[in-house]
Amino acid sequence: MLPMSEGTVWKRGVVRAGWLGLGAALILWVLAPRQPSRAEMERERVATPEGMVYVPGGTCLIGSPDPDDSDAPAMRKVFVPSFYLDRLEVTNAEFRRFRSSHAYPEGEDRLPVTNVQYEEAEAYARWAGKRLPTNEEWEKAARGIDGRRYPWGNGWDPKRVAPRARRKPVPVPDGGHCPPSRVQPVGTVPAGLSPFGCLDMAGNAWEWVSGFHGGNREQRIIRGGAVGYGERACRTYSRGIEGAGVT
């Protein structure tokens, strides 16, 4: 996945009032665009690449069940083909393999990469031989097929979401300090596991998903919330809208 964080992060790819991250969900490929048979699903499951989860094709509930929620479309049934998705958000160490100039404080290898623009997230995905998930794919991976409100179920539980990290400001060469990262290492809260086995799909870092909001080429969609955001941002159908050039 690609992540986002507290300000503008890109987890599996979203922006928050903090950081934008790459995201925990990079898709390797989409399998047959139809309902697979049991035998096909078993073959696809067995072939799941290391570090990824298998999301079988089929119908699922997408959208908000809340009549007063103007930020997400109303709940509806959609068909989503089978796909494989990264189990964890992309880390600083992984992103540095793609871009050697990517700098971050010592000891933060396992933090989700943040301050990444949409185009950078997309380029990383291509380099990895994958792509960003669509809005529907991300949501199915986060909530399963039963329309649950959070990855773990329908009841809010803040202990299933990564808490804001309390780190000291990091010194920089000009004598000043850069703001400390507030995200947690990927996979810190296993209790937040989604039905298909993905972590950090509620909180930690926002995540970019592919496509435009309402066809507007200046607006992208981010998913999953981030550290410091409230319960509403952690709902599986919640989304944020950001400019394509935001980090």
Side-chain angles (χ1 to χ4, degrees), residues 6-8 25 44 48 52 55 97 103 123 127 134-137 139 164 167-168 174 179 190 210 222 233-234 241:
E6 178 187 81
T8 308
E44 292 170 354
T48 303
M52 304 189 85
V55 182
R97 291 176 54 211
W127 172 84
T134 66
N135 192 51
E136 290 76 16
E137 288 166 339
E139 191 164 325
R164 182 194 295 254
R167 298 187 180 90
K168 296 180 180 180
D174 64 3
S210 65
I222 55 177
C234 292
I241 310 301

PDB file of all heavy atoms in Angstrom, residues 6-8 25 44 48 52 55 97 103 123 127 134-137 139 164 167-168 174 179 190 210 222 233-234 241:
ATOM      1  N   GLU A   6       0.232  12.510   9.088  1.00  0.00           N
ATOM      2  CA  GLU A   6      -0.485  13.500   9.861  1.00  0.00           C
ATOM      3  C   GLU A   6      -0.736  14.805   9.162  1.00  0.00           C
ATOM      4  O   GLU A   6      -1.728  15.466   9.425  1.00  0.00           O
ATOM      5  CB  GLU A   6       0.300  13.772  11.134  1.00  0.00           C
ATOM      6  CG  GLU A   6      -0.321  14.806  11.986  1.00  0.00           C
ATOM      7  CD  GLU A   6       0.558  15.143  13.128  1.00  0.00           C
ATOM      8  OE1 GLU A   6       1.473  15.924  12.921  1.00  0.00           O
ATOM      9  OE2 GLU A   6       0.339  14.661  14.204  1.00  0.00           O
ATOM     10  N   GLY A   7       0.077  15.253   8.312  1.00  0.00           N
ATOM     11  CA  GLY A   7      -0.162  16.523   7.692  1.00  0.00           C
ATOM     12  C   GLY A   7      -0.582  16.251   6.289  1.00  0.00           C
ATOM     13  O   GLY A   7      -1.721  16.271   5.917  1.00  0.00           O
ATOM     14  N   THR A   8       0.355  15.957   5.474  1.00  0.00           N
ATOM     15  CA  THR A   8       0.046  15.555   4.115  1.00  0.00           C
ATOM     16  C   THR A   8       0.807  14.278   3.943  1.00  0.00           C
ATOM     17  O   THR A   8       1.989  14.303   3.735  1.00  0.00           O
ATOM     18  CB  THR A   8       0.579  16.601   3.137  1.00  0.00           C
ATOM     19  OG1 THR A   8       0.101  17.848   3.549  1.00  0.00           O
ATOM     20  CG2 THR A   8       0.115  16.307   1.760  1.00  0.00           C
ATOM     21  N   ALA A  25      -1.166   0.191   0.141  1.00  0.00           N
ATOM     22  CA  ALA A  25      -1.768  -0.681  -0.853  1.00  0.00           C
ATOM     23  C   ALA A  25      -1.328  -0.428  -2.269  1.00  0.00           C
ATOM     24  O   ALA A  25      -1.892   0.373  -2.960  1.00  0.00           O
ATOM     25  CB  ALA A  25      -3.270  -0.574  -0.780  1.00  0.00           C
ATOM     26  N   GLU A  44      -5.633 -18.556  -7.281  1.00  0.00           N
ATOM     27  CA  GLU A  44      -5.195 -17.171  -7.117  1.00  0.00           C
ATOM     28  C   GLU A  44      -4.667 -16.932  -5.702  1.00  0.00           C
ATOM     29  O   GLU A  44      -3.656 -16.238  -5.510  1.00  0.00           O
ATOM     30  CB  GLU A  44      -6.356 -16.224  -7.427  1.00  0.00           C
ATOM     31  CG  GLU A  44      -6.761 -16.223  -8.898  1.00  0.00           C
ATOM     32  CD  GLU A  44      -8.058 -15.471  -9.162  1.00  0.00           C
ATOM     33  OE1 GLU A  44      -8.725 -15.032  -8.193  1.00  0.00           O
ATOM     34  OE2 GLU A  44      -8.405 -15.313 -10.348  1.00  0.00           O
ATOM     35  N   THR A  48      -0.583 -15.799  -4.252  1.00  0.00           N
ATOM     36  CA  THR A  48      -0.413 -14.471  -3.669  1.00  0.00           C
ATOM     37  C   THR A  48       1.061 -14.143  -3.464  1.00  0.00           C
ATOM     38  O   THR A  48       1.779 -14.880  -2.783  1.00  0.00           O
ATOM     39  CB  THR A  48      -1.135 -14.368  -2.315  1.00  0.00           C
ATOM     40  OG1 THR A  48      -2.520 -14.674  -2.483  1.00  0.00           O
ATOM     41  CG2 THR A  48      -1.004 -12.959  -1.727  1.00  0.00           C
ATOM     42  N   MET A  52       1.885  -9.389   0.113  1.00  0.00           N
ATOM     43  CA  MET A  52       0.615  -8.897  -0.402  1.00  0.00           C
ATOM     44  C   MET A  52      -0.523  -9.765   0.129  1.00  0.00           C
ATOM     45  O   MET A  52      -0.295 -10.832   0.708  1.00  0.00           O
ATOM     46  CB  MET A  52       0.619  -8.891  -1.931  1.00  0.00           C
ATOM     47  CG  MET A  52       1.758  -8.094  -2.539  1.00  0.00           C
ATOM     48  SD  MET A  52       1.627  -7.870  -4.333  1.00  0.00           S
ATOM     49  CE  MET A  52       0.557  -6.420  -4.412  1.00  0.00           C
ATOM     50  N   VAL A  55      -7.446 -10.350  -2.607  1.00  0.00           N
ATOM     51  CA  VAL A  55      -8.825  -9.894  -2.471  1.00  0.00           C
ATOM     52  C   VAL A  55      -9.610 -10.512  -3.623  1.00  0.00           C
ATOM     53  O   VAL A  55      -9.469 -10.095  -4.774  1.00  0.00           O
ATOM     54  CB  VAL A  55      -8.924  -8.358  -2.511  1.00  0.00           C
ATOM     55  CG1 VAL A  55     -10.374  -7.919  -2.321  1.00  0.00           C
ATOM     56  CG2 VAL A  55      -8.038  -7.735  -1.426  1.00  0.00           C
ATOM     57  N   ARG A  97      14.896   2.953  -1.900  1.00  0.00           N
ATOM     58  CA  ARG A  97      15.399   2.059  -2.952  1.00  0.00           C
ATOM     59  C   ARG A  97      15.002   2.586  -4.325  1.00  0.00           C
ATOM     60  O   ARG A  97      15.710   2.385  -5.308  1.00  0.00           O
ATOM     61  CB  ARG A  97      14.844   0.650  -2.752  1.00  0.00           C
ATOM     62  CG  ARG A  97      15.384  -0.074  -1.539  1.00  0.00           C
ATOM     63  CD  ARG A  97      14.703  -1.418  -1.355  1.00  0.00           C
ATOM     64  NE  ARG A  97      14.791  -2.211  -2.569  1.00  0.00           N
ATOM     65  CZ  ARG A  97      13.875  -3.084  -2.952  1.00  0.00           C
ATOM     66  NH1 ARG A  97      12.767  -3.249  -2.245  1.00  0.00           N
ATOM     67  NH2 ARG A  97      14.044  -3.773  -4.068  1.00  0.00           N
ATOM     68  N   ALA A 103      15.434  11.495   1.950  1.00  0.00           N
ATOM     69  CA  ALA A 103      16.087  11.637   3.254  1.00  0.00           C
ATOM     70  C   ALA A 103      15.071  11.559   4.391  1.00  0.00           C
ATOM     71  O   ALA A 103      13.945  12.053   4.271  1.00  0.00           O
ATOM     72  CB  ALA A 103      16.828  12.968   3.321  1.00  0.00           C
ATOM     73  N   ALA A 123       4.680   6.991  -9.674  1.00  0.00           N
ATOM     74  CA  ALA A 123       5.963   6.590 -10.253  1.00  0.00           C
ATOM     75  C   ALA A 123       6.592   5.449  -9.448  1.00  0.00           C
ATOM     76  O   ALA A 123       7.167   4.518 -10.018  1.00  0.00           O
ATOM     77  CB  ALA A 123       6.914   7.789 -10.298  1.00  0.00           C
ATOM     78  N   TRP A 127       7.563   1.680 -10.768  1.00  0.00           N
ATOM     79  CA  TRP A 127       8.912   1.149 -10.544  1.00  0.00           C
ATOM     80  C   TRP A 127       8.858  -0.213  -9.861  1.00  0.00           C
ATOM     81  O   TRP A 127       9.642  -1.111 -10.165  1.00  0.00           O
ATOM     82  CB  TRP A 127       9.702   2.136  -9.680  1.00  0.00           C
ATOM     83  CG  TRP A 127      11.033   1.638  -9.220  1.00  0.00           C
ATOM     84  CD1 TRP A 127      12.214   1.664  -9.907  1.00  0.00           C
ATOM     85  CD2 TRP A 127      11.318   1.036  -7.955  1.00  0.00           C
ATOM     86  NE1 TRP A 127      13.224   1.111  -9.145  1.00  0.00           N
ATOM     87  CE2 TRP A 127      12.709   0.725  -7.940  1.00  0.00           C
ATOM     88  CE3 TRP A 127      10.552   0.746  -6.822  1.00  0.00           C
ATOM     89  CZ2 TRP A 127      13.322   0.128  -6.846  1.00  0.00           C
ATOM     90  CZ3 TRP A 127      11.155   0.138  -5.730  1.00  0.00           C
ATOM     91  CH2 TRP A 127      12.535  -0.164  -5.752  1.00  0.00           C
ATOM     92  N   THR A 134      -7.614   1.550  -7.086  1.00  0.00           N
ATOM     93  CA  THR A 134      -8.728   2.466  -7.352  1.00  0.00           C
ATOM     94  C   THR A 134      -9.443   2.736  -6.035  1.00  0.00           C
ATOM     95  O   THR A 134      -9.230   2.040  -5.034  1.00  0.00           O
ATOM     96  CB  THR A 134      -9.731   1.852  -8.344  1.00  0.00           C
ATOM     97  OG1 THR A 134     -10.343   0.713  -7.722  1.00  0.00           O
ATOM     98  CG2 THR A 134      -9.048   1.440  -9.645  1.00  0.00           C
ATOM     99  N   ASN A 135     -10.322   3.705  -6.046  1.00  0.00           N
ATOM    100  CA  ASN A 135     -11.103   4.037  -4.862  1.00  0.00           C
ATOM    101  C   ASN A 135     -11.900   2.816  -4.377  1.00  0.00           C
ATOM    102  O   ASN A 135     -11.951   2.504  -3.190  1.00  0.00           O
ATOM    103  CB  ASN A 135     -12.047   5.194  -5.201  1.00  0.00           C
ATOM    104  CG  ASN A 135     -12.691   5.804  -3.980  1.00  0.00           C
ATOM    105  OD1 ASN A 135     -12.014   6.158  -3.017  1.00  0.00           O
ATOM    106  ND2 ASN A 135     -14.004   5.918  -3.995  1.00  0.00           N
ATOM    107  N   GLU A 136     -12.533   2.089  -5.324  1.00  0.00           N
ATOM    108  CA  GLU A 136     -13.348   0.926  -4.969  1.00  0.00           C
ATOM    109  C   GLU A 136     -12.485  -0.229  -4.452  1.00  0.00           C
ATOM    110  O   GLU A 136     -12.863  -0.929  -3.512  1.00  0.00           O
ATOM    111  CB  GLU A 136     -14.180   0.466  -6.170  1.00  0.00           C
ATOM    112  CG  GLU A 136     -15.305   1.398  -6.559  1.00  0.00           C
ATOM    113  CD  GLU A 136     -14.815   2.649  -7.297  1.00  0.00           C
ATOM    114  OE1 GLU A 136     -13.650   2.637  -7.772  1.00  0.00           O
ATOM    115  OE2 GLU A 136     -15.595   3.622  -7.377  1.00  0.00           O
ATOM    116  N   GLU A 137     -11.330  -0.435  -5.081  1.00  0.00           N
ATOM    117  CA  GLU A 137     -10.445  -1.508  -4.628  1.00  0.00           C
ATOM    118  C   GLU A 137      -9.951  -1.238  -3.214  1.00  0.00           C
ATOM    119  O   GLU A 137      -9.927  -2.139  -2.361  1.00  0.00           O
ATOM    120  CB  GLU A 137      -9.261  -1.645  -5.592  1.00  0.00           C
ATOM    121  CG  GLU A 137      -9.633  -2.258  -6.927  1.00  0.00           C
ATOM    122  CD  GLU A 137      -8.553  -2.087  -7.972  1.00  0.00           C
ATOM    123  OE1 GLU A 137      -7.686  -1.185  -7.827  1.00  0.00           O
ATOM    124  OE2 GLU A 137      -8.559  -2.860  -8.952  1.00  0.00           O
ATOM    125  N   GLU A 139     -11.356   0.539  -0.889  1.00  0.00           N
ATOM    126  CA  GLU A 139     -12.442   0.409   0.081  1.00  0.00           C
ATOM    127  C   GLU A 139     -12.818  -1.050   0.321  1.00  0.00           C
ATOM    128  O   GLU A 139     -13.092  -1.448   1.464  1.00  0.00           O
ATOM    129  CB  GLU A 139     -13.661   1.205  -0.368  1.00  0.00           C
ATOM    130  CG  GLU A 139     -14.717   1.329   0.709  1.00  0.00           C
ATOM    131  CD  GLU A 139     -15.735   2.421   0.429  1.00  0.00           C
ATOM    132  OE1 GLU A 139     -15.368   3.462  -0.147  1.00  0.00           O
ATOM    133  OE2 GLU A 139     -16.903   2.215   0.808  1.00  0.00           O
ATOM    134  N   ARG A 164      -0.714   8.893  17.867  1.00  0.00           N
ATOM    135  CA  ARG A 164       0.269   9.886  17.420  1.00  0.00           C
ATOM    136  C   ARG A 164       1.585   9.665  18.167  1.00  0.00           C
ATOM    137  O   ARG A 164       1.617   9.588  19.391  1.00  0.00           O
ATOM    138  CB  ARG A 164      -0.260  11.291  17.683  1.00  0.00           C
ATOM    139  CG  ARG A 164       0.682  12.400  17.205  1.00  0.00           C
ATOM    140  CD  ARG A 164       0.265  13.738  17.800  1.00  0.00           C
ATOM    141  NE  ARG A 164      -1.034  14.152  17.313  1.00  0.00           N
ATOM    142  CZ  ARG A 164      -1.222  15.127  16.412  1.00  0.00           C
ATOM    143  NH1 ARG A 164      -0.178  15.755  15.909  1.00  0.00           N
ATOM    144  NH2 ARG A 164      -2.430  15.476  16.045  1.00  0.00           N
ATOM    145  N   ARG A 167       7.726  12.332  19.176  1.00  0.00           N
ATOM    146  CA  ARG A 167       9.158  12.383  18.917  1.00  0.00           C
ATOM    147  C   ARG A 167       9.670  13.806  19.040  1.00  0.00           C
ATOM    148  O   ARG A 167       8.939  14.769  18.842  1.00  0.00           O
ATOM    149  CB  ARG A 167       9.465  11.848  17.511  1.00  0.00           C
ATOM    150  CG  ARG A 167       9.083  10.395  17.304  1.00  0.00           C
ATOM    151  CD  ARG A 167       9.555   9.876  15.953  1.00  0.00           C
ATOM    152  NE  ARG A 167       9.176   8.482  15.759  1.00  0.00           N
ATOM    153  CZ  ARG A 167       8.041   8.099  15.211  1.00  0.00           C
ATOM    154  NH1 ARG A 167       7.174   9.001  14.765  1.00  0.00           N
ATOM    155  NH2 ARG A 167       7.751   6.815  15.089  1.00  0.00           N
ATOM    156  N   LYS A 168      10.972  13.918  19.339  1.00  0.00           N
ATOM    157  CA  LYS A 168      11.584  15.237  19.463  1.00  0.00           C
ATOM    158  C   LYS A 168      11.912  15.791  18.076  1.00  0.00           C
ATOM    159  O   LYS A 168      12.176  15.034  17.149  1.00  0.00           O
ATOM    160  CB  LYS A 168      12.873  15.148  20.289  1.00  0.00           C
ATOM    161  CG  LYS A 168      12.637  14.726  21.735  1.00  0.00           C
ATOM    162  CD  LYS A 168      13.959  14.656  22.498  1.00  0.00           C
ATOM    163  CE  LYS A 168      13.722  14.247  23.935  1.00  0.00           C
ATOM    164  NZ  LYS A 168      14.999  14.162  24.698  1.00  0.00           N
ATOM    165  N   ASP A 174      21.283  23.524   8.918  1.00  0.00           N
ATOM    166  CA  ASP A 174      21.334  24.984   9.043  1.00  0.00           C
ATOM    167  C   ASP A 174      21.190  25.450  10.488  1.00  0.00           C
ATOM    168  O   ASP A 174      21.113  26.637  10.771  1.00  0.00           O
ATOM    169  CB  ASP A 174      20.244  25.633   8.181  1.00  0.00           C
ATOM    170  CG  ASP A 174      18.833  25.278   8.645  1.00  0.00           C
ATOM    171  OD1 ASP A 174      18.696  24.578   9.669  1.00  0.00           O
ATOM    172  OD2 ASP A 174      17.881  25.705   7.976  1.00  0.00           O
ATOM    173  N   PRO A 179      10.184  19.467  11.842  1.00  0.00           N
ATOM    174  CA  PRO A 179       9.119  18.867  12.655  1.00  0.00           C
ATOM    175  C   PRO A 179       9.290  17.356  12.755  1.00  0.00           C
ATOM    176  O   PRO A 179       9.676  16.703  11.776  1.00  0.00           O
ATOM    177  CB  PRO A 179       7.846  19.233  11.877  1.00  0.00           C
ATOM    178  CG  PRO A 179       8.225  20.412  11.054  1.00  0.00           C
ATOM    179  CD  PRO A 179       9.662  20.188  10.687  1.00  0.00           C
ATOM    180  N   PRO A 190      -1.677  -4.455  15.162  1.00  0.00           N
ATOM    181  CA  PRO A 190      -2.274  -5.604  14.460  1.00  0.00           C
ATOM    182  C   PRO A 190      -3.767  -5.765  14.710  1.00  0.00           C
ATOM    183  O   PRO A 190      -4.469  -6.390  13.912  1.00  0.00           O
ATOM    184  CB  PRO A 190      -1.482  -6.802  15.000  1.00  0.00           C
ATOM    185  CG  PRO A 190      -0.870  -6.331  16.279  1.00  0.00           C
ATOM    186  CD  PRO A 190      -0.606  -4.880  16.091  1.00  0.00           C
ATOM    187  N   SER A 210      -5.934   5.897  -7.051  1.00  0.00           N
ATOM    188  CA  SER A 210      -5.856   6.380  -8.429  1.00  0.00           C
ATOM    189  C   SER A 210      -7.146   7.073  -8.861  1.00  0.00           C
ATOM    190  O   SER A 210      -8.208   6.855  -8.288  1.00  0.00           O
ATOM    191  CB  SER A 210      -5.554   5.217  -9.378  1.00  0.00           C
ATOM    192  OG  SER A 210      -6.628   4.296  -9.392  1.00  0.00           O
ATOM    193  N   ILE A 222      -7.837  10.843  -1.226  1.00  0.00           N
ATOM    194  CA  ILE A 222      -6.991  10.181  -0.242  1.00  0.00           C
ATOM    195  C   ILE A 222      -7.891   9.383   0.710  1.00  0.00           C
ATOM    196  O   ILE A 222      -9.033   9.767   0.972  1.00  0.00           O
ATOM    197  CB  ILE A 222      -6.106  11.182   0.520  1.00  0.00           C
ATOM    198  CG1 ILE A 222      -6.959  12.277   1.162  1.00  0.00           C
ATOM    199  CG2 ILE A 222      -5.055  11.777  -0.398  1.00  0.00           C
ATOM    200  CD1 ILE A 222      -6.195  13.271   2.003  1.00  0.00           C
ATOM    201  N   ALA A 233     -12.601  10.207  10.242  1.00  0.00           N
ATOM    202  CA  ALA A 233     -11.618   9.984   9.172  1.00  0.00           C
ATOM    203  C   ALA A 233     -11.214   8.523   9.068  1.00  0.00           C
ATOM    204  O   ALA A 233     -10.698   8.095   8.033  1.00  0.00           O
ATOM    205  CB  ALA A 233     -10.380  10.840   9.398  1.00  0.00           C
ATOM    206  N   CYS A 234     -11.449   7.743  10.122  1.00  0.00           N
ATOM    207  CA  CYS A 234     -11.062   6.329  10.138  1.00  0.00           C
ATOM    208  C   CYS A 234     -12.146   5.410   9.600  1.00  0.00           C
ATOM    209  O   CYS A 234     -11.943   4.194   9.529  1.00  0.00           O
ATOM    210  CB  CYS A 234     -10.697   5.904  11.559  1.00  0.00           C
ATOM    211  SG  CYS A 234      -9.183   6.665  12.183  1.00  0.00           S
ATOM    212  N   ILE A 241     -10.265  14.996  -0.116  1.00  0.00           N
ATOM    213  CA  ILE A 241     -10.027  15.493  -1.464  1.00  0.00           C
ATOM    214  C   ILE A 241      -8.853  16.470  -1.409  1.00  0.00           C
ATOM    215  O   ILE A 241      -8.874  17.427  -0.638  1.00  0.00           O
ATOM    216  CB  ILE A 241     -11.266  16.212  -2.035  1.00  0.00           C
ATOM    217  CG1 ILE A 241     -12.529  15.347  -1.861  1.00  0.00           C
ATOM    218  CG2 ILE A 241     -11.049  16.571  -3.505  1.00  0.00           C
ATOM    219  CD1 ILE A 241     -12.452  14.000  -2.518  1.00  0.00           C
TER     220      ILE A 241
END
